[in-house]
Amino acid sequence: MTDMTDTTEATGRDAASRLARISLEKIIELQDPSGAYLASPTFSAYKGYAWFRDGAFTADAVSSAGEVASPNRFFDWCARAILDRAAHIEEIIAAAEAGRPLPDAEMLPARFRLDGSTGDDDWWDFQLDGYGTWLWAVVAHTERHGVDAARWGTAIDLTARYLLSSWQRPCFDWWEESTEQVHVSTLGCIAAGLGRVAESGALEVEVGSRARAATNEIRALITTSGLAEGGLAKWLGSSATDASLLALIAPLELIEATSAIGLSTIARVARDLSFEGGVHRYLLDSFYGGGQWPLLSCMLGLAYNAAGDRDSALAFLAWAVGTEGPSGSLPEQVPNHLLAPEVRDSWLEKWGPVANPLVWSHAMFLKLSIELGVFPLGSDA
Ligand code: BGC
């Protein structure tokens, strides 16, 4: 007789594996000829745009799935976006070093058109995290596949020096909000990028040692002023948590999952932001009514898995499978449990239905499936 639990588990694994395969295919199919991973092909506010943040996590997942060409093309696109702005970046660095930092509006953008240019409508553009995340992802990719980082050397150097000049500044966070704060997840993305690139030898010696020093300084700042209840806090001095902080545990590996800070961060996000497997961004979120984000459930799964709790990780993966829409598409968020239901309609009127598919959701689903050995099937750890 077949054990029911085994059968249910195997069915769940098959469903997840199938969705991970669809995710990989979708990401590659939707990659623009320019190399950009567009955020969402249909959603009104994202259509025609790409972010370093979404794209770097997407490239990392695709690279982890064994693909080399697609991430290479994305990193080429990032490098072009940086090199096109080289003179401007040097100006930003010189102004910061002279003690006269340029205003936020003159810093690098977060959202790019697919040809690498900056959009001309207003956006919450000054965000630093994506620049750290692309550094982290490009180095991880070169090390994983033995690709020569020299291909992106000049852009890596410019990005590292941009971050070194400006990492202390308040800016918009992952959610493009609260520009007056210094966000712990932003700091973590910067430290993960600078730290990884400093160790890789891709930087010239002097820049490398500055990058190493800044990484240590950021770590010290986070672990003194960036904690609440022993876990990572939403911003320096805040007592709230935020699901973006999970990325610092996994996949960025800046904070050890089993450390006291890692475990407290996971526990707080699980307690405050997870409801029946669906993870909210933060408690006061009202974007589309503040629903649950599959990509964040996958990040919580990654953190649990890194802490050795594979069963919890599998449960979050299973929850994400449940958000699958027509033809295997994964949305940005689902409205099953809303934090601010009263404002959902106003967002629907403003921007139309929620982004679906959201490429980044597919990427985090793929990454967790790979980490759990669910994809490719038969690679069970
Ligand atoms: C999110 C960003 C994301 C962008 C594109 C925004 O709504 O807040 O984190 O980069 O969508 O997916």
Side-chain angles (χ1 to χ4, degrees):
M1 222 170 76
T2 324
D3 182 312
M4 270 306 279
T5 324
D6 284 355
T7 316
T8 318
E9 243 183 62
T11 314
R13 205 163 308 177
D14 285 354
S17 185
R18 180 192 48 81
L19 191 50
R21 184 181 41 75
I22 292 175
S23 292
L24 178 59
E25 287 166 3
K26 248 189 216 307
I27 293 169
I28 290 180
E29 181 192 307
L30 288 172
Q31 184 172 20
D32 190 68
S34 65
Y37 291 120
L38 62 172
S40 173
T42 45
F43 181 57
S44 65
Y46 305 166
K47 207 173 159 182
Y49 286 99
W51 278 251
F52 271 29
R53 173 179 40 256
D54 303 38
F57 284 117
T58 301
D60 178 67
V62 173
S63 167
S64 303
E67 299 288 330
V68 180
S70 166
N72 278 352
R73 291 202 295 118
F74 172 70
F75 296 131
D76 286 345
W77 177 82
C78 294
R80 272 199 309 277
I82 299 283
L83 295 177
D84 284 351
R85 292 168 175 81
H88 181 48
I89 295 174
E90 297 294 1
E91 238 179 87
I92 293 173
I93 296 170
E97 283 171 358
R100 286 188 304 275
L102 296 189
D104 291 4
E106 288 174 42
M107 297 297 280
L108 298 181
R111 193 184 71 145
F112 297 83
R113 288 206 190 93
L114 304 182
D115 65 3
S117 63
T118 310
D120 47 23
D121 49 340
D122 266 358
W123 199 258
W124 306 272
D125 251 322
F126 177 35
Q127 304 170 28
L128 290 167
D129 63 277
Y131 292 91
T133 316
W134 109 265
L135 286 184
W136 163 80
V138 73
V139 174
H141 175 68
T142 57
E143 291 175 356
R144 187 179 293 123
H145 294 291
V147 177
D148 187 354
R151 172 168 175 170
W152 302 290
T154 310
I156 290 175
D157 165 75
L158 274 168
T159 308
R161 289 189 296 108
Y162 172 67
L163 290 174
L164 287 168
S165 76
S166 305
W167 68 262
Q168 289 99 338
R169 291 177 65 148
C171 65
F172 289 108
D173 65 0
W174 272 33
W175 315 130
E176 320 200 295
E177 294 173 347
S178 307
T179 188
E180 68 290 352
Q181 304 295 345
V182 177
H183 301 273
V184 174
S185 54
T186 299
L187 286 175
C189 291
I190 296 171
L194 287 177
R196 189 91 194 231
V197 82
E199 295 317 318
S200 74
L203 294 173
E204 176 253 299
V205 178
E206 188 262 344
V207 182
S209 66
R210 284 169 57 212
R212 208 164 292 122
T215 305
N216 293 335
E217 217 182 309
I218 296 172
R219 275 180 187 281
L221 182 61
I222 290 178
T223 52
T224 49
S225 314
L227 299 181
E229 289 184 278
L232 297 171
K234 187 168 167 64
W235 57 67
L236 297 183
S238 162
S239 58
T241 189
D242 189 296
S244 61
L245 295 161
L246 295 165
L248 278 50
I249 298 170
L252 297 175
E253 295 179 335
L254 183 76
I255 302 289
E256 179 64 49
T258 53
S259 66
I261 295 177
L263 291 172
S264 302
T265 304
I266 295 171
R268 291 186 87 213
V269 171
R271 182 195 70 194
D272 294 350
L273 301 178
S274 167
F275 182 79
E276 293 176 352
V279 176
H280 296 281
R281 300 195 298 180
Y282 60 98
L283 269 183
L284 297 178
D285 189 12
S286 62
F287 183 53
Y288 278 87
Q292 295 161 298
W293 288 46
L295 81 90
L296 295 176
S297 293
C298 292
M299 282 202 183
L300 186 50
L302 285 169
Y304 269 118
N305 190 49
D309 184 350
R310 181 180 160 81
D311 289 346
S312 296
L314 281 165
F316 285 102
L317 187 74
W319 183 87
V321 172
T323 66
E324 178 182 350
S327 65
S329 94
L330 289 173
E332 182 177 64
Q333 59 169 286
V334 291
N336 309 2
H337 181 260
L338 294 172
L339 296 171
E342 67 287 355
V343 295
R344 183 171 147 81
D345 284 350
S346 61
W347 281 102
L348 288 166
E349 276 155 35
K350 182 177 159 137
W351 279 353
V354 161
N356 192 358
L358 183 81
V359 168
W360 190 13
S361 297
H362 284 284
M364 296 323 297
F365 187 85
L366 176 62
K367 179 77 177 180
L368 179 57
S369 302
I370 294 166
E371 290 297 314
L372 287 169
V374 162
F375 179 80
L377 205 56
S379 61
D380 220 351

